[in-house]
Structures are given as structure tokens and as C-alpha cells.
Amino acid sequence: MGMLGWLHRRGLEMKGLITMDDLTNEDILSILDDAARLLPVARGETYLPLLEGKILGNLFFEPSTRTRMSFETAMKRLGGDVVNLGDVKTSSVVKGETLFDTIQMVDGYTDIIAMRHPRQGAARYAQDAARVPILNGGDGAGHHPTQTMLDLFTILQSHGTLEGLSVVLAGDLRYGRTVHSLSHALVRFGCKLILASPELLRMPAEIIEDLREHGADVLETEDLLGNINDADVVYMTRIQKERFADEDEYTKVAGAYKLHARDVANVKAEMIIMHPLPRVDEIHPSVDSTRHARYFEQAFNGVVARMALLCRLLNIEVPAEIQGGEA
Ligand code: CP
């Protein structure tokens, strides 16, 4: 690319997705609407090369299966290409290259970057260093907004609305970045939140404050099973062992909640059970065959939600009608 092209890219001031504050409720609904129309493309029933010629940089400084692979699938289903940092141990990060320099390089190789990093705030820092949009695929115990988009898509598919639902968020609310981003989005749609966690893993006070500032109806409790019968959504999370400074502290809360099929005998018929995955022992396999389980469908929805986000951030319009399958 010549200097003029470079300057042109700089002049576009493309914004990424670092937290859910980067999207209005109207943006969210419009992106989810695009995602619904892209379902046949995500399923491989039709090919729609909207992103032909575009390159996604996948920079995962922390392990990932779903986020990394669904970004890659989304890009390829839309005719785009992907370059991966790969295993951090085989990259120049081990030679001491800074995140800032790494981003400066990858910025020149790609049109958009998906990034996961163990340090909270790293995605914001990367966005400040980059000209291309950064999609935050998880920054430490901070945020995971692209996960929230697929979570909202899953809820919308099941309930037909995001408004006024009763949602139980359970497990590791302290370190679980998925619930940090999701809780913020849900209160903006007027949902009631029941936050079920061991005392040690309560939602951080500043997030509770943010939720209440947005008018949230929030109940904090240690009792999961006593709160699921009136819920529309039960969102389970893994205890984030890797975030604990002290192994003894982890041992105190490991296995705090284990949802079994017998526990959902008296829940609402339309209640859905979600989990960002991977699960450890929070959801017993007996739940998988109940009508309430949505977590594998939720993981698939990562492809459509990320397709729609890639198109939006690259300023590519998703057609109003897409042939080739039923949405
Ligand atoms: N839900 C999620 O972020 O999964 P991965 O850690 O496998 O990307």
C-alpha cells in the first residue's frame, strides 16, 4: 500500500469493539438482525463472499477454542482470509517484543484484528496502537463483548426478545469476563438479574454500581437452585482457576455449583440454560438432553454473531435478503 493509501486508512478512524459501551442498543439489535440473515452462510448452505480480499489477524495471547475458531470460520465463510499469531511461544513475543510493537506490525498486515490477552485493559491499549479495528476477544477478567453478542443472539432466538427477562448469572462473577459484559448489556434491555455466586466470587463492586446506575434490578445471592424456577435464562460459568493468585482460594470455591437434570424439573418450560464454555463440572451431562440446554447452539452462534460484527466494523453491508436456506 502506498503512502496515500496508508493515510487514507488512518483517516477512516475505524472504531473497534472493546466493551459493550461501544454499541448502542440500536446497534446491537441491528447487528443481531444481520446475524439472523447470515445463518444460511454460517451453516455452509450458501456462499456469500462479502469479505473477499479482507484479512483478519487472530492474536490470541491466551488459550481459546471457540472464539479463535469461530472468528476464523466467520471470516472464511464470508470469503475472507485469516493470519494467526499462532502459539505465543513460537512468536517474537518470547524475544521480548512489546504488545504495542506487535500490534503496529499486524496492523499493517491486516484489515481487522481479533485479540485475546491475559491483561485487563490490553484490548483498549491495542486499539490505541492500531489503525484497524480491534475486536476484544477477552482481556483478562475484563470484558468479552463478542461473546455477549452471541449470547444475546441465543437469547433472542429462544425468547424472541431481549427485554424484561429474568436472568440468573451463576458461578465465577468476579473473574468471569463473559458475565461482566453480558450483565451490562442485559440491564440496558431492562432485564432483571439474579447474581448467584460464592461470597469470594461476587460480581466486582464497580460493576454492580454500573448496573445500578443503569437502573438495574439486581439480586445478589449464594443460592442458585432456589432462584432458577422463575428464570427465563440460567447462565452458568466456569470458576476461572487461572485467575486465582492462591490455589487454596480456588480449592475453597471449586465445584460450588453443579447443575443436574433433576434440578430443572420445576423450571419454566421455555427457560434456557447457557454457558460460554468450556465447562468443567458446572453442568452435568444429564442436562444436555433436556429441552433447556442451549450451550452448544450458543457456541455455534459465535460464527454468525462474529460474521455480523466483522461486516459492521469493516463497513460491509449485509444484504437485506440472502438466498440459500431458512434463517
Ligand atoms: N467462550 C469462550 O470464550 O471460549 P474459548 O475460551 O474457547 O474461546
Side-chain angles (χ1 to χ4, degrees), residues 7 37 72-73 91 95 130 141 150 163 198 218 273 279 317:
L7 289 173
R37 295 199 308 285
E72 191 153 345
T73 306
S91 77
K95 299 176 199 165
L150 72 94
E163 299 202 14
V218 179
I273 300 169
R279 66 176 156 181
E317 199 170 329

Side-chain angles (χ1 to χ4, degrees), residues 60 63-68 116 137 144 147 177-178 276-278:
F60 281 74
S64 168
T65 298
R66 277 147 292 273
T67 310
R68 185 176 55 78
R116 171 171 293 183
H144 198 347
Q147 174 75 40
R177 55 196 172 201
T178 63
L277 304 179

Side-chain angles (χ1 to χ4, degrees), residues 104-222:
Q104 293 264 85
M105 292 304 106
V106 179
D107 183 88
Y109 302 155
T110 62
D111 301 289
I112 190 162
I113 293 172
M115 188 179 106
R116 171 171 293 183
H117 199 281
R119 218 170 52 235
Q120 194 167 338
R124 175 79 61 207
Y125 178 77
Q127 185 63 90
D128 291 344
R131 299 169 186 87
V132 301
I134 302 284
L135 286 151
N136 180 8
D139 60 325
H143 301 267
H144 198 347
T146 70
Q147 174 75 40
T148 293
M149 290 302 286
L150 72 94
D151 293 341
L152 295 177
F153 185 78
T154 306
I155 294 170
L156 192 56
Q157 264 189 327
S158 294
H159 288 293
T161 181
L162 296 176
E163 299 202 14
L165 299 171
S166 176
V167 181
V168 176
L169 303 177
D172 186 348
L173 308 185
R174 179 178 182 183
Y175 297 119
R177 55 196 172 201
T178 63
V179 284
H180 296 169
S181 294
L182 180 60
S183 58
H184 175 83
L186 289 171
V187 301
R188 282 169 40 188
F189 285 98
C191 292
K192 176 184 175 187
L193 298 184
I194 295 101
L195 305 179
S197 73
E199 176 68 22
L200 188 66
L201 299 179
R202 282 173 66 176
M203 189 71 95
E206 65 272 17
I207 296 184
I208 298 281
E209 199 177 315
D210 168 70
L211 298 177
R212 295 216 159 107
E213 268 170 23
H214 283 83
D217 180 357
V218 179
L219 169 75
E220 288 190 272
T221 177
E222 292 189 49

Side-chain angles (χ1 to χ4, degrees), residues 234-252:
V234 174
Y235 192 100
M236 301 294 292
T237 62
R238 175 178 68 89
I239 311 282
Q240 307 270 304
K241 185 179 183 184
E242 64 276 24
R243 309 256 177 252
F244 283 73
D246 181 343
E247 177 105 23
D248 288 345
E249 292 290 288
Y250 171 71
T251 310
K252 280 184 204 160

